[in-house]
Amino acid sequence: MSFDRTIKIAPSILSADFADFGREIEAIEAQGADWVHVDVMDGHFVPNLTFGPPAVKAFRRHVKTVMDVHLMIAPVDPYIDAYAEAGADILTAHVEAGPHIHRTLQAIRAAGMKAGVAINPGTPAQALEHVLDLADLVCVMTVNPGFGGQKFIDMSEKVRTLREMIGDRPVHIEIDGGMDPQTAPKMVDAGADVLVAGSAVFQGGSVEKASVYGDNIRAIRSAAEGAAKAA
Ligand code: DX5
Ligand code: ZN
């Protein structure tokens, strides 16, 4: 995985048909997804529960691009090796998930993955000050994690602050929650390069009607690229 700040659209399979993940992943990739975003929830760190390492390992066989695994679980450390073994390219842990995010990020890299750190809407950018050298991606949550289809919470000031804190480091800024053609441009203008979108990609489409996924991805991308050019 080489680093650049071009706009990347990462559909979240949280909004896919849970009985058909393999074909859903293939459909979004064929329709222009840059990365595949995989939301792991434990019913403890967040109120919702999704899937764990064996399912993620099964997804891997279908992902040709980048498997971006977002852990909404606590604790994280006991599961890092299982997600490496499952084939995650990027493994993201929440700064709020425990007292030792520094150790967690080191362990993710040591297991051979890119390390991401996610930050909830209520947590200040400064919480990441001492871990930016250990991160390959910062995921700014623009909803409180746990569910797809929630209302966007504007975190553009936090994104701007993080963009400045990151400076020349090769660290992606990913935005997760409520991304659509209306909300994405503001985040890109503030410094984001990876846009996660669940409902805005999957709405109206299906494996049989996959061209809708393509239309939805293109709509987000062209709105976002407009903002990137203007910035
Ligand atoms: C929220 C998840 C998101 C979610 C985004 O807890 O981390 O990735 O699927 O869904 P939308 O785009 O519908 O807000
Ligand atoms: Zn996510």
Side-chain angles (χ1 to χ4, degrees):
M1 255 182 87
S2 61
F3 180 85
D4 67 58
R5 284 190 208 284
T6 56
I7 302 295
K8 286 161 280 294
I9 310 294
S12 163
I13 59 167
L14 187 62
S15 295
D17 176 354
F18 268 43
D20 207 359
F21 279 124
R23 290 203 303 159
E24 290 276 42
I25 288 167
E26 286 165 14
I28 53 172
E29 288 196 337
Q31 294 295 327
D34 298 289
W35 294 3
V36 175
H37 186 83
V38 175
D39 285 308
V40 175
M41 305 186 186
D42 67 351
H44 164 75
F45 178 71
V46 290
N48 199 4
L49 190 60
T50 55
F51 33 69
V56 175
K57 187 174 185 174
F59 304 159
R60 176 75 261 183
R61 296 200 306 275
H62 301 272
V63 178
K64 293 194 194 70
T65 58
V66 169
M67 190 160 75
D68 172 33
V69 179
H70 177 193
L71 297 181
M72 287 160 274
I73 69 172
V76 170
D77 294 11
Y79 300 99
I80 291 173
D81 288 342
Y83 285 100
E85 148 77 7
D89 295 300
I90 305 170
L91 192 65
T92 297
H94 268 262
V95 66
E96 302 86 2
H100 298 296
I101 189 66
H102 191 284
R103 174 158 61 212
T104 299
L105 294 171
Q106 285 181 320
I108 292 171
R109 281 188 172 172
M113 296 171 284
K114 299 278 185 196
V117 58
I119 180 167
N120 282 336
T123 305
Q126 286 70 23
L128 303 187
E129 196 176 337
H130 300 292
V131 295
L132 288 176
D133 285 324
L134 299 173
D136 302 291
L137 174 146
V138 169
C139 174
V140 178
M141 296 304 303
T142 42
V143 296
N144 286 295
F147 302 94
Q150 301 184 81
K151 195 174 175 306
F152 170 72
I153 305 167
D154 190 351
M155 290 282 131
S156 47
E157 281 318 304
K158 190 192 285 186
V159 174
R160 259 176 232 288
T161 304
L162 282 165
R163 186 69 200 83
E164 246 177 57
M165 286 165 65
I166 287 167
D168 292 335
R169 294 177 179 92
V171 179
H172 296 290
I173 299 185
E174 175 178 76
I175 310 295
D176 191 0
M179 285 292 93
D180 63 28
Q182 282 69 50
T183 54
K186 207 172 178 185
M187 296 295 104
V188 170
D189 182 56
D193 62 302
V194 185
L195 304 170
V196 174
S199 35
V201 166
F202 285 90
Q203 66 186 2
S206 65
V207 163
E208 284 75 28
K209 268 191 359 195
S211 63
V212 176
Y213 297 161
D215 295 340
N216 291 341
I217 290 170
R218 275 188 296 279
I220 301 167
R221 192 190 302 284
S222 70
E225 282 176 351
K229 275 198 201 89

PDB file of all heavy atoms in Angstrom, residues 101-120:
ATOM      1  N   ILE A 101      -3.376   3.086  24.227  1.00  0.00           N
ATOM      2  CA  ILE A 101      -3.429   3.181  22.762  1.00  0.00           C
ATOM      3  C   ILE A 101      -2.018   3.169  22.158  1.00  0.00           C
ATOM      4  O   ILE A 101      -1.814   2.632  21.064  1.00  0.00           O
ATOM      5  CB  ILE A 101      -4.229   4.442  22.313  1.00  0.00           C
ATOM      6  CG1 ILE A 101      -4.477   4.444  20.803  1.00  0.00           C
ATOM      7  CG2 ILE A 101      -3.536   5.729  22.744  1.00  0.00           C
ATOM      8  CD1 ILE A 101      -5.361   3.368  20.276  1.00  0.00           C
ATOM      9  N   HIS A 102      -1.056   3.734  22.875  1.00  0.00           N
ATOM     10  CA  HIS A 102       0.329   3.765  22.374  1.00  0.00           C
ATOM     11  C   HIS A 102       0.830   2.337  22.142  1.00  0.00           C
ATOM     12  O   HIS A 102       1.318   1.995  21.058  1.00  0.00           O
ATOM     13  CB  HIS A 102       1.191   4.516  23.400  1.00  0.00           C
ATOM     14  CG  HIS A 102       2.569   4.856  22.938  1.00  0.00           C
ATOM     15  ND1 HIS A 102       3.575   3.919  22.859  1.00  0.00           N
ATOM     16  CD2 HIS A 102       3.106   6.031  22.530  1.00  0.00           C
ATOM     17  CE1 HIS A 102       4.679   4.517  22.430  1.00  0.00           C
ATOM     18  NE2 HIS A 102       4.424   5.800  22.213  1.00  0.00           N
ATOM     19  N   ARG A 103       0.633   1.498  23.137  1.00  0.00           N
ATOM     20  CA  ARG A 103       1.052   0.101  22.999  1.00  0.00           C
ATOM     21  C   ARG A 103       0.253  -0.623  21.906  1.00  0.00           C
ATOM     22  O   ARG A 103       0.789  -1.411  21.136  1.00  0.00           O
ATOM     23  CB  ARG A 103       0.868  -0.624  24.342  1.00  0.00           C
ATOM     24  CG  ARG A 103       1.138  -2.108  24.233  1.00  0.00           C
ATOM     25  CD  ARG A 103       1.493  -2.736  25.553  1.00  0.00           C
ATOM     26  NE  ARG A 103       0.435  -2.615  26.525  1.00  0.00           N
ATOM     27  CZ  ARG A 103       0.644  -2.495  27.849  1.00  0.00           C
ATOM     28  NH1 ARG A 103       1.874  -2.471  28.321  1.00  0.00           N
ATOM     29  NH2 ARG A 103      -0.362  -2.398  28.678  1.00  0.00           N
ATOM     30  N   THR A 104      -1.045  -0.317  21.841  1.00  0.00           N
ATOM     31  CA  THR A 104      -1.906  -0.970  20.840  1.00  0.00           C
ATOM     32  C   THR A 104      -1.419  -0.667  19.429  1.00  0.00           C
ATOM     33  O   THR A 104      -1.315  -1.564  18.584  1.00  0.00           O
ATOM     34  CB  THR A 104      -3.366  -0.490  21.029  1.00  0.00           C
ATOM     35  OG1 THR A 104      -3.792  -0.861  22.334  1.00  0.00           O
ATOM     36  CG2 THR A 104      -4.290  -1.094  19.982  1.00  0.00           C
ATOM     37  N   LEU A 105      -1.100   0.604  19.152  1.00  0.00           N
ATOM     38  CA  LEU A 105      -0.654   0.975  17.801  1.00  0.00           C
ATOM     39  C   LEU A 105       0.678   0.314  17.472  1.00  0.00           C
ATOM     40  O   LEU A 105       0.891  -0.173  16.355  1.00  0.00           O
ATOM     41  CB  LEU A 105      -0.573   2.503  17.670  1.00  0.00           C
ATOM     42  CG  LEU A 105      -1.937   3.216  17.758  1.00  0.00           C
ATOM     43  CD1 LEU A 105      -1.750   4.729  17.845  1.00  0.00           C
ATOM     44  CD2 LEU A 105      -2.834   2.863  16.571  1.00  0.00           C
ATOM     45  N   GLN A 106       1.566   0.263  18.446  1.00  0.00           N
ATOM     46  CA  GLN A 106       2.842  -0.437  18.224  1.00  0.00           C
ATOM     47  C   GLN A 106       2.594  -1.910  17.899  1.00  0.00           C
ATOM     48  O   GLN A 106       3.217  -2.476  17.000  1.00  0.00           O
ATOM     49  CB  GLN A 106       3.711  -0.364  19.490  1.00  0.00           C
ATOM     50  CG  GLN A 106       4.352   0.979  19.720  1.00  0.00           C
ATOM     51  CD  GLN A 106       5.221   0.975  20.974  1.00  0.00           C
ATOM     52  OE1 GLN A 106       4.849   0.391  22.004  1.00  0.00           O
ATOM     53  NE2 GLN A 106       6.366   1.625  20.894  1.00  0.00           N
ATOM     54  N   ALA A 107       1.662  -2.519  18.619  1.00  0.00           N
ATOM     55  CA  ALA A 107       1.391  -3.949  18.424  1.00  0.00           C
ATOM     56  C   ALA A 107       0.756  -4.205  17.055  1.00  0.00           C
ATOM     57  O   ALA A 107       1.028  -5.232  16.420  1.00  0.00           O
ATOM     58  CB  ALA A 107       0.488  -4.463  19.546  1.00  0.00           C
ATOM     59  N   ILE A 108      -0.082  -3.284  16.594  1.00  0.00           N
ATOM     60  CA  ILE A 108      -0.706  -3.455  15.272  1.00  0.00           C
ATOM     61  C   ILE A 108       0.372  -3.439  14.190  1.00  0.00           C
ATOM     62  O   ILE A 108       0.397  -4.290  13.293  1.00  0.00           O
ATOM     63  CB  ILE A 108      -1.777  -2.361  15.030  1.00  0.00           C
ATOM     64  CG1 ILE A 108      -2.972  -2.578  15.977  1.00  0.00           C
ATOM     65  CG2 ILE A 108      -2.240  -2.372  13.574  1.00  0.00           C
ATOM     66  CD1 ILE A 108      -3.995  -1.435  15.966  1.00  0.00           C
ATOM     67  N   ARG A 109       1.291  -2.476  14.275  1.00  0.00           N
ATOM     68  CA  ARG A 109       2.383  -2.431  13.286  1.00  0.00           C
ATOM     69  C   ARG A 109       3.286  -3.659  13.417  1.00  0.00           C
ATOM     70  O   ARG A 109       3.702  -4.224  12.402  1.00  0.00           O
ATOM     71  CB  ARG A 109       3.193  -1.155  13.452  1.00  0.00           C
ATOM     72  CG  ARG A 109       2.519   0.056  12.830  1.00  0.00           C
ATOM     73  CD  ARG A 109       3.458   1.234  12.868  1.00  0.00           C
ATOM     74  NE  ARG A 109       2.942   2.372  12.128  1.00  0.00           N
ATOM     75  CZ  ARG A 109       3.509   3.575  12.142  1.00  0.00           C
ATOM     76  NH1 ARG A 109       4.598   3.791  12.871  1.00  0.00           N
ATOM     77  NH2 ARG A 109       3.009   4.565  11.428  1.00  0.00           N
ATOM     78  N   ALA A 110       3.549  -4.049  14.631  1.00  0.00           N
ATOM     79  CA  ALA A 110       4.429  -5.212  14.825  1.00  0.00           C
ATOM     80  C   ALA A 110       3.809  -6.476  14.221  1.00  0.00           C
ATOM     81  O   ALA A 110       4.524  -7.394  13.805  1.00  0.00           O
ATOM     82  CB  ALA A 110       4.709  -5.421  16.318  1.00  0.00           C
ATOM     83  N   ALA A 111       2.476  -6.501  14.157  1.00  0.00           N
ATOM     84  CA  ALA A 111       1.791  -7.664  13.560  1.00  0.00           C
ATOM     85  C   ALA A 111       1.712  -7.552  12.040  1.00  0.00           C
ATOM     86  O   ALA A 111       1.098  -8.392  11.383  1.00  0.00           O
ATOM     87  CB  ALA A 111       0.393  -7.799  14.159  1.00  0.00           C
ATOM     88  N   GLY A 112       2.302  -6.483  11.474  1.00  0.00           N
ATOM     89  CA  GLY A 112       2.418  -6.382  10.020  1.00  0.00           C
ATOM     90  C   GLY A 112       1.311  -5.615   9.328  1.00  0.00           C
ATOM     91  O   GLY A 112       1.205  -5.637   8.102  1.00  0.00           O
ATOM     92  N   MET A 113       0.481  -4.910  10.105  1.00  0.00           N
ATOM     93  CA  MET A 113      -0.609  -4.134   9.492  1.00  0.00           C
ATOM     94  C   MET A 113      -0.324  -2.642   9.606  1.00  0.00           C
ATOM     95  O   MET A 113       0.518  -2.211  10.390  1.00  0.00           O
ATOM     96  CB  MET A 113      -1.935  -4.451  10.221  1.00  0.00           C
ATOM     97  CG  MET A 113      -2.365  -5.905  10.070  1.00  0.00           C
ATOM     98  SD  MET A 113      -3.775  -6.335  11.136  1.00  0.00           S
ATOM     99  CE  MET A 113      -2.975  -6.459  12.750  1.00  0.00           C
ATOM    100  N   LYS A 114      -1.052  -1.843   8.805  1.00  0.00           N
ATOM    101  CA  LYS A 114      -1.060  -0.399   9.002  1.00  0.00           C
ATOM    102  C   LYS A 114      -1.908  -0.122  10.239  1.00  0.00           C
ATOM    103  O   LYS A 114      -2.938  -0.791  10.453  1.00  0.00           O
ATOM    104  CB  LYS A 114      -1.668   0.312   7.794  1.00  0.00           C
ATOM    105  CG  LYS A 114      -0.906   0.074   6.505  1.00  0.00           C
ATOM    106  CD  LYS A 114       0.279   1.002   6.393  1.00  0.00           C
ATOM    107  CE  LYS A 114       0.948   0.837   5.044  1.00  0.00           C
ATOM    108  NZ  LYS A 114       2.308   1.426   5.046  1.00  0.00           N
ATOM    109  N   ALA A 115      -1.512   0.872  11.018  1.00  0.00           N
ATOM    110  CA  ALA A 115      -2.208   1.157  12.272  1.00  0.00           C
ATOM    111  C   ALA A 115      -3.070   2.397  12.142  1.00  0.00           C
ATOM    112  O   ALA A 115      -2.596   3.457  11.718  1.00  0.00           O
ATOM    113  CB  ALA A 115      -1.195   1.338  13.395  1.00  0.00           C
ATOM    114  N   GLY A 116      -4.342   2.251  12.527  1.00  0.00           N
ATOM    115  CA  GLY A 116      -5.252   3.391  12.533  1.00  0.00           C
ATOM    116  C   GLY A 116      -5.697   3.694  13.947  1.00  0.00           C
ATOM    117  O   GLY A 116      -5.782   2.794  14.795  1.00  0.00           O
ATOM    118  N   VAL A 117      -5.969   4.981  14.199  1.00  0.00           N
ATOM    119  CA  VAL A 117      -6.535   5.361  15.495  1.00  0.00           C
ATOM    120  C   VAL A 117      -7.801   6.179  15.249  1.00  0.00           C
ATOM    121  O   VAL A 117      -7.788   7.132  14.480  1.00  0.00           O
ATOM    122  CB  VAL A 117      -5.492   6.091  16.385  1.00  0.00           C
ATOM    123  CG1 VAL A 117      -4.926   7.344  15.729  1.00  0.00           C
ATOM    124  CG2 VAL A 117      -6.088   6.430  17.750  1.00  0.00           C
ATOM    125  N   ALA A 118      -8.901   5.748  15.850  1.00  0.00           N
ATOM    126  CA  ALA A 118     -10.195   6.427  15.664  1.00  0.00           C
ATOM    127  C   ALA A 118     -10.509   7.275  16.885  1.00  0.00           C
ATOM    128  O   ALA A 118     -10.104   6.948  18.014  1.00  0.00           O
ATOM    129  CB  ALA A 118     -11.303   5.398  15.437  1.00  0.00           C
ATOM    130  N   ILE A 119     -11.248   8.359  16.640  1.00  0.00           N
ATOM    131  CA  ILE A 119     -11.542   9.313  17.707  1.00  0.00           C
ATOM    132  C   ILE A 119     -13.030   9.693  17.663  1.00  0.00           C
ATOM    133  O   ILE A 119     -13.542  10.100  16.620  1.00  0.00           O
ATOM    134  CB  ILE A 119     -10.565  10.525  17.595  1.00  0.00           C
ATOM    135  CG1 ILE A 119     -10.810  11.564  18.663  1.00  0.00           C
ATOM    136  CG2 ILE A 119     -10.596  11.175  16.211  1.00  0.00           C
ATOM    137  CD1 ILE A 119      -9.656  12.586  18.758  1.00  0.00           C
ATOM    138  N   ASN A 120     -13.701   9.514  18.786  1.00  0.00           N
ATOM    139  CA  ASN A 120     -15.140   9.782  18.878  1.00  0.00           C
ATOM    140  C   ASN A 120     -15.425  11.282  18.827  1.00  0.00           C
ATOM    141  O   ASN A 120     -14.546  12.098  19.145  1.00  0.00           O
ATOM    142  CB  ASN A 120     -15.692   9.211  20.194  1.00  0.00           C
ATOM    143  CG  ASN A 120     -15.897   7.718  20.127  1.00  0.00           C
ATOM    144  OD1 ASN A 120     -16.070   7.155  19.051  1.00  0.00           O
ATOM    145  ND2 ASN A 120     -15.880   7.069  21.292  1.00  0.00           N
TER     146      ASN A 120
END
